[in-house]
């Protein structure tokens, strides 16, 4: 039996994760009083709300890049 029901599909995650990250960014901008200045400290919520939207696409890009490299290497 396939692992279904509880895990969302990849296209759903592809849309959902950036939207949640953007919501976190807007939340930080509206709640954190030192939003523009406080983004350099790793203790700040702002730092992670800016880091997450950048990290996920970069990870996906390099994961796909590695996968394509392995595919091309095997077939040539």
């Amino acid at each position: 039996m396939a692992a279904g029901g509880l895990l969302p599909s990849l296209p759903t995650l592809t849309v959902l994760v950036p939207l949640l990250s953007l919501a976190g960014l807007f939340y930080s901008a509206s709640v954190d009083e030192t939003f523009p200045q406080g983004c350099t400290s790793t203790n700040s919520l702002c730092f992670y709300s800016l880091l997450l939207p950048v990290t996920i696409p970069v990870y996906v890009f390099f994961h796909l890049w590695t996968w394509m490299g392995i595919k091309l290497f095997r077939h040539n």
Side-chain angles (χ1 to χ4, degrees):
M1 193 165 168
L6 296 177
L7 296 174
S9 65
L10 183 61
T12 304
L13 285 176
T14 305
V15 171
L16 193 61
V17 168
L19 288 177
L20 289 174
S21 300
L22 189 61
L25 175 65
F26 286 142
Y27 174 76
S28 290
S30 63
V31 171
D32 196 1
E33 296 85 17
T34 60
F35 178 72
Q37 297 85 16
C39 289
T40 57
S41 171
T42 56
N43 294 333
S44 172
L45 178 64
C46 168
F47 178 79
Y48 293 103
S49 67
L50 294 175
L51 182 66
L52 188 63
V54 172
T55 304
I56 292 171
V58 169
Y59 170 77
V60 169
F61 172 78
F62 282 106
H63 182 77
L64 291 174
W65 184 271
T66 304
W67 177 74
M68 283 300 295
I70 291 170
K71 285 296 220 179
L72 289 172
F73 180 73
R74 284 185 185 166
H75 291 293
N76 284 333

